[in-house]
Structure formats: structure tokens, C-alpha cells
Amino acid sequence: MGHFRGLTWSDVRSLPLRDFNALVDAMADDVERQNKQSRRTRGRSPGGSTGERRTPVMT
């Protein structure tokens, strides 16, 4: 349960099913948001976005 600091496995096991499902949904949303953010930063070219696709050329 490293996603939420201070939350232990015994805390999770004692949650009612409704609260557990809400916790899982929150974790999934956080992970999805992090993935989108990493894709945005990884996909940027240093020279700006020209819309041109670069393909490696064999020599």
C-alpha cells in the first residue's frame, strides 16, 4: 500500500467493501494521471512541436 502513505495492509483489510472500492478507484485514477503526464513530457521534442514525424534512415 505504498501508494497512500500511512495506510497499512491491516487498515485496508478492515475497510468495508464500499470504501475499499473507492480506494482502488482513487489509486487507478492517480496512476492513470501519472501515466498521461509522463507520456506528455516524454513525447516532447526539444525544438518544439512541428508536427513532422522523424523516421530513422538506414545508411
Side-chain angles (χ1 to χ4, degrees):
M1 293 309 314
H3 190 77
F4 293 107
R5 294 184 188 265
L7 190 64
T8 64
W9 182 243
S10 60
D11 293 337
V12 172
R13 287 185 11 212
S14 66
L15 287 173
L17 184 58
R18 177 189 68 233
D19 294 340
F20 175 78
N21 288 337
L23 180 70
V24 170
D25 288 342
M27 286 173 37
D29 291 343
D30 288 347
V31 169
E32 184 177 335
R33 190 176 319 112
Q34 289 172 357
N35 287 343
K36 283 183 181 178
Q37 184 64 31
S38 70
R39 274 182 273 174
R40 281 189 203 124
T41 58
R42 202 174 351 133
R44 302 215 175 188
S45 62
S49 178
T50 61
E52 178 182 348
R53 183 174 180 170
R54 296 177 169 255
T55 306
V57 178
M58 299 289 287
T59 57

